[in-house]
Amino acid sequence: SGIVVTASQKSDNSYSYNTVTVVLLTEATKLTASFLIYLREVSLSTMWSEIKTHSKVLVLYMIPALLYCLYNNLAFVNLAAFDPTTYFLLLQLRVAVTGIVFQV
């Protein structure tokens, strides 16, 4: 996706579209697809009763989902500043940094 994002940039490294909207529409599409796949197995009333019963779990899952959405938005910011090769190299560097921090 980094190459596609970079290819959609203008010459001044800006975008002709709202990047936040792109990320939100992508996440909404994933959510809709997940609901449709889940509804193949159970009925809508069963799904709503499970949501009501396990609402605390749903809220707990929303926290990493929101962080993931923020991470996807930051990818647009980073790709505006770096070329895709440098971006992915720095992205892989986080694995090494995490390992070093874990050992310390």
Side-chain angles (χ1 to χ4, degrees), residues 58-101:
L58 181 66
V59 170
L60 291 175
Y61 273 105
M62 284 184 182
I63 295 169
L66 289 172
L67 290 173
Y68 181 72
C69 191
L70 175 67
Y71 174 80
N72 285 340
N73 278 310
L74 289 175
F76 279 95
V77 173
N78 288 332
L79 285 167
F82 303 109
D83 62 292
T85 306
T86 305
Y87 171 70
F88 286 115
L89 184 66
L90 291 172
L91 197 63
Q92 296 305 316
L93 185 64
R94 73 180 175 175
V95 175
V97 171
T98 302
I100 292 168
V101 169

Side-chain angles (χ1 to χ4, degrees), residues 33-49:
S34 299
F35 274 137
L36 293 175
I37 292 169
Y38 186 73
L39 287 176
R40 289 179 57 197
E41 302 291 325
V42 299
S43 67
L44 187 61
S45 61
T46 304
M47 184 182 77
W48 286 118
S49 66

Side-chain angles (χ1 to χ4, degrees), residues 1-11 14-17 19 76:
S1 70
I3 295 171
V4 174
V5 170
T6 304
S8 67
Q9 287 178 343
K10 293 180 183 178
S11 60
S14 66
Y15 299 98
S16 61
Y17 52 87
T19 58
F76 279 95

